[in-house]
Amino acid sequence: MKKTLWLVILITLVAFILRVYRLDFVSLRGDESFTVIFVQRTWEGLWRGIRFIEPNPPLYYLLLRAWVAVAGASEFATRYFSVFFGVLCVPLLYRLVCEMFTLFPSRLLSTQNGNNGNWRSVALFAAMLIAINPYQIWHSQDVRNYTLWPSLSLAALIFFWRWWRLEIGSWKLEVGNRTSQARSPYFSIVILNLLFYFLFTAASLYTHYYDTFILIAENAFVFLFAVLARRWKTVARWAIAQVALVLVYAPWVLFGTNRVATYGEGSAYGGVPLWEQFSRTIATFVVSDTVPDALKTIVWLPLALALVAILISVARHDRARAAFLFLWIAIPTLALFAISIGRPLFLERYLNAIAPAYYLVFAIGLAQIIKYRLPITKLVYAAGVIFFLATSAFALANYYCDPAYAKAPDWRALAQFIAARQQPGDIVIQNFTEMSAIYYQRGSAPVMTLPKDFQPTPDDAKTLRRVMTEYRRIWFIPAQPDWWDPDHVIENLISRYADRELETRISVFRPQLYLTLREFEPKIIPINARLGNATLVGYRIEGARNLHVVLYWRVAQKIATDLTVFAHLADANERVVAQQDSAPVRGTYPTSAWQPGELIVDAYDLQVDAMGTFTILVGMYDSATLARVPVFDANNVRQPNDRVTLTQITISQ
């Protein structure tokens, strides 16, 4: 027993090391950042958000709020909250196995010499599997409720099995009559375990709505083995606990929130076939998402066959435990399938509280293998252990070290880049809903999200124009990849009216810095040349060999046709050595769409490979006829060859 205790402590320590390793190495992902910001709202804002915004019950947010108040809101501190409960799942699963198999050991785990103590091997195997599991480690380093929920659910199941063992004991031992039993210490222990079961189940229900499915599985189990056996005292005690749960939970579901009936997760899936849901779930629970999809496709079927074979083997020796394991897995899976038919509500993590059931079944399989002292069973056992160790090591190596499997891009580096170059009058705009930008920019430049919804609206354009009058510079973060604002409407709008000064790459990001009119207007070199109905107000040139030519246009009245702008670099012999011909604003804003009075920013890049003195020439032409638009200077004198001469530059090296 002492040796087993030390093994449990060792396995728990391994779980802790794996979960705390590189805990804050990767930036918080969007949902994590949202959660951290969310729990720091005012009490009124938090409570209203829980009721009408967040898809989860309040317990996790209330506990995390208290933790943040003590430990702070850093990446390490907030993720450590999940680490604690992720590690706690290891001894809790061990304890659950002990409760399931100790008092009335199963013939399933009897060795050939009749020893019933093999349940300890099951408990240790189960603890080991959840300790090294990459999916559980991923969620243990994630600021969400997917470790708190399984830990509370496991604690509730521990007291469920303690109560159930006592009830079975009363059936077998036939303890006294009703009066004497009610007054006995035995009866008090039964009630005490039911009380703790009630408390942990209520806490689990208030952590995740889908814990209801596990509650249904427990009720189905009790119906099968208590109601059908006509053990009415057991049924009565169980019914009282269930009524109490309804009384403390139903008011919240019915009146406290509207999220149960209205929620649909944008990143989730709907209408996924049951078999696909099961295959995705079992593969994800075992090898995680930090492996190639091809590996998950390969392993799910052998895992499913092994799961079924183990459950059948359990049923041959122990119908009660086999039924419990089957119901624990099957009912939540079926329930999630049913509710996701009409709404996008399927994600593997929504079943994470039943992941321990999978690990327990596989642990039983490993324990069954080693109880037979045959050479072939030793090979099968070794293969099983190696499979779990190897897949976990592979998935964890990808998770810890391969940026392709990082849960979030490097928001921290992006924020540091902006902060190092930030000036008074700056604002950060992103064109997708992402809370990490807000988390990492806290205390720095304000952050705005445009468009407000997936597709931009005229109100977004109005907001953007207002922002350009209020701020001097805009840091713009485009969505990567283009799953939000796919037509780049916001980026194009900014490009039309603001002067892009910088664009670079940081992680997967393409941050851009724009100067608004208040900032770039003093830098404009005036020219006021007229090209048809358009006026070239001025220009700005940057760079040496890679010239960045920015033109500033304004129209007094609408232009009927779509014209092409050319920017040429010509030598003394009028030979063009570099050029760029394009529709204005990098092809995104045709001249026929220009609005009278607006100042349009139009940039061109000229790469020069020669040395000498060159002239920058600008003009417009009709791409259909190649006819140039007449050009007049500020004194209304028509220019030769219908082009504007901006300036001369000398390139010496």
Side-chain angles (χ1 to χ4, degrees):
M1 182 65 182
K2 190 174 182 180
K3 180 181 177 181
T4 302
L5 176 62
W6 282 110
L7 284 174
V8 174
I9 293 174
L10 178 61
I11 293 171
T12 305
L13 179 61
V14 169
F16 173 77
I17 293 172
L18 291 175
R19 284 157 175 77
V20 81
Y21 176 66
R22 286 193 163 190
L23 183 58
D24 58 353
F25 181 74
V26 177
S27 302
L28 296 184
R29 65 187 184 94
D31 282 353
E32 291 182 283
S33 298
F34 169 82
T35 304
V36 176
I37 295 170
F38 185 69
V39 299
Q40 296 181 83
R41 287 180 163 194
T42 64
W43 276 108
E44 180 182 358
L46 175 62
W47 192 247
R48 181 173 179 81
I50 292 172
R51 294 185 62 196
F52 303 117
I53 297 176
E54 255 301 275
N56 293 296
L59 182 60
Y60 173 78
Y61 303 109
L62 299 179
L63 293 177
L64 182 62
R65 182 186 180 91
W67 172 257
V68 167
V70 174
S74 69
E75 299 137 298
F76 189 93
T78 51
R79 282 178 173 162
Y80 195 88
F81 186 76
S82 295
V83 167
F84 175 81
F85 292 103
V87 174
L88 185 61
C89 286
V90 175
L92 286 175
L93 182 56
Y94 174 86
R95 188 68 236 170
L96 175 60
V97 178
C98 296
E99 295 299 334
M100 289 179 66
F101 290 101
T102 48
L103 183 60
F104 301 109
S106 169
R107 288 181 297 156
L108 165 74
L109 300 176
S110 299
T111 57
Q112 290 179 335
N113 61 9
N115 180 16
N116 276 320
N118 213 33
W119 59 268
R120 295 188 189 278
S121 298
V122 175
L124 289 171
F125 277 134
M128 179 197 73
L129 291 179
I130 198 172
I132 66 171
N133 183 263
Y135 191 68
Q136 301 307 320
I137 292 169
W138 194 99
H139 282 289
S140 294
Q141 295 191 338
D142 200 62
V143 192
R144 294 296 283 172
N145 57 346
Y146 293 103
T147 57
L148 176 62
W149 178 29
S151 64
L152 291 172
S153 180
L154 284 171
L157 287 173
I158 288 171
F159 287 102
F160 170 83
W161 272 95
R162 283 187 174 181
W163 167 77
W164 184 252
R165 286 169 48 209
L166 291 170
E167 293 290 353
I168 297 297
S170 70
W171 299 358
K172 293 190 175 185
L173 300 176
E174 297 180 353
V175 180
N177 57 34
R178 180 180 303 177
T179 304
S180 61
Q181 184 176 345
R183 294 176 179 175
S184 66
Y186 170 87
F187 180 75
S188 300
I189 296 174
V190 169
I191 299 303
L192 185 63
N193 279 288
L194 263 184
L195 175 62
F196 279 109
Y197 162 79
F198 162 80
L199 293 174
F200 280 109
T201 300
S204 191
L205 289 167
Y206 271 98
T207 301
H208 203 289
Y209 291 115
Y210 291 175
D211 195 69
T212 306
F213 305 149
I214 298 177
L215 185 63
I216 294 172
E218 294 165 353
N219 277 273
F221 177 78
V222 173
F223 178 85
L224 284 173
F225 291 95
V227 175
L228 296 183
R230 298 183 179 181
R231 300 295 179 174
W232 304 120
K233 293 178 182 178
T234 299
V235 173
R237 286 190 280 266
W238 177 253
I240 292 172
Q242 302 310 296
V243 170
L245 286 170
V246 170
L247 291 176
V248 301
Y249 192 53
W252 169 257
V253 174
L254 296 175
F255 309 111
T257 180
N258 67 349
R259 303 306 285 149
V260 176
T262 62
Y263 181 69
E265 172 58 62
S267 61
Y269 302 92
V272 180
L274 178 60
W275 191 251
E276 183 180 343
Q277 286 197 17
F278 172 71
S279 64
R280 288 174 54 175
T281 299
I282 191 171
T284 301
F285 282 174
V286 174
V287 299
S288 190
D289 290 320
T290 57
V291 297
D293 290 338
L295 177 59
K296 296 174 71 172
T297 302
I298 292 171
V299 303
W300 82 262
L301 184 56
L303 288 171
L305 293 175
L307 184 80
V308 172
I310 295 168
L311 286 175
I312 292 174
S313 177
V314 174
R316 290 175 55 198
H317 300 88
D318 192 329
R319 288 182 298 173
R321 291 178 180 83
F324 177 78
L325 291 170
F326 174 77
L327 293 170
W328 189 10
I329 292 173
I331 287 183
T333 302
L334 289 169
L336 183 56
F337 165 73
I339 67 172
S340 63
I341 291 175
R343 282 193 286 169
L345 290 173
F346 169 72
L347 286 173
E348 294 89 338
R349 64 175 178 261
Y350 294 166
L351 290 172
N352 199 40
I354 69 168
Y358 285 88
Y359 310 138
L360 175 51
V361 172
F362 290 126
I364 291 174
L366 291 171
Q368 283 183 291
I369 293 171
I370 63 172
K371 79 176 184 178
Y372 298 106
R373 302 184 183 278
L374 298 173
I376 187 63
T377 58
K378 292 181 180 179
L379 291 175
V380 175
Y381 166 73
V385 173
I386 290 172
F387 168 78
F388 284 106
L389 290 175
T391 53
S392 294
F394 177 57
L396 288 175
N398 288 338
Y399 173 59
Y400 289 138
C401 304
D402 190 342
Y405 292 99
K407 67 171 57 180
D410 200 346
W411 283 101
R412 188 188 305 119
L414 177 63
Q416 291 170 350
F417 177 85
I418 294 175
R421 294 157 180 81
Q422 184 177 306
Q423 297 178 9
D426 284 8
I427 187 172
V428 177
I429 294 179
Q430 56 180 357
N431 68 335
F432 57 108
T433 302
E434 175 59 73
M435 297 300 291
S436 291
I438 299 175
Y439 175 84
Y440 285 101
Q441 288 291 334
R442 61 191 188 278
S444 185
V447 179
M448 174 179 289
T449 299
L450 289 174
K452 297 294 185 182
D453 297 313
F454 180 76
Q455 292 290 353
T457 66
D459 288 339
D460 294 316
K462 292 178 182 178
T463 300
L464 184 58
R465 284 194 288 269
R466 176 181 56 79
V467 167
M468 289 185 174
T469 63
E470 295 176 354
Y471 292 90
R472 305 187 69 88
R473 304 196 311 171
I474 296 173
W475 290 94
F476 179 64
I477 308 173
Q480 300 291 334
D482 300 325
W483 57 271
W484 195 273
D485 187 15
D487 296 326
H488 307 273
V489 172
I490 298 301
E491 182 175 359
N492 292 338
L493 283 173
I494 296 175
S495 298
R496 292 175 193 175
Y497 309 121
D499 192 348
R500 187 167 66 190
E501 186 174 70
L502 177 148
E503 180 176 5
T504 188
R505 280 279 180 182
I506 298 175
S507 183
V508 301
F509 300 110
R510 185 169 54 90
Q512 304 165 15
L513 175 62
Y514 289 88
L515 310 181
T516 65
L517 180 62
R518 292 174 57 187
E519 189 72 12
F520 72 69
E521 189 173 30
K523 301 179 181 181
I524 296 176
I525 300 173
I527 196 165
N528 292 314
R530 181 166 54 84
L531 292 79
N533 289 333
T535 299
L536 181 59
V537 176
Y539 67 93
R540 182 169 64 88
I541 299 175
E542 291 182 350
R545 286 192 174 274
N546 297 322
L547 298 176
H548 183 64
V549 180
V550 185
L551 309 176
Y552 302 93
W553 303 95
R554 181 175 277 125
V555 293
Q557 59 186 21
K558 294 281 288 184
I559 298 176
T561 57
D562 290 331
L563 301 174
T564 298
V565 177
F566 67 83
H568 292 173
L569 189 68
D571 61 15
N573 298 318
E574 296 285 321
R575 184 173 62 90
V576 176
V577 297
Q579 73 179 81
Q580 184 180 0
D581 294 27
S582 172
V585 195
R586 303 183 187 274
T588 66
Y589 199 27
T591 55
S592 62
W594 288 7
Q595 300 301 311
E598 63 184 6
L599 184 66
I600 299 157
V601 180
D602 187 22
Y604 297 84
D605 296 304
L606 303 176
Q607 185 172 353
V608 187
D609 296 324
M611 291 185 293
T613 300
F614 306 96
T615 304
I616 299 177
L617 306 170
V618 171
M620 283 182 172
Y621 62 89
D622 187 332
S623 59
T625 64
L626 299 182
R628 289 189 178 183
V629 174
V631 176
F632 298 86
D633 66 11
N635 298 317
N636 204 31
V637 176
R638 185 162 182 173
Q639 299 300 296
N641 299 317
D642 289 322
R643 63 193 185 186
V644 180
T645 301
L646 298 187
T647 188
Q648 285 189 336
I649 62 169
T650 300
I651 300 175
S652 57
Q653 56 178 330

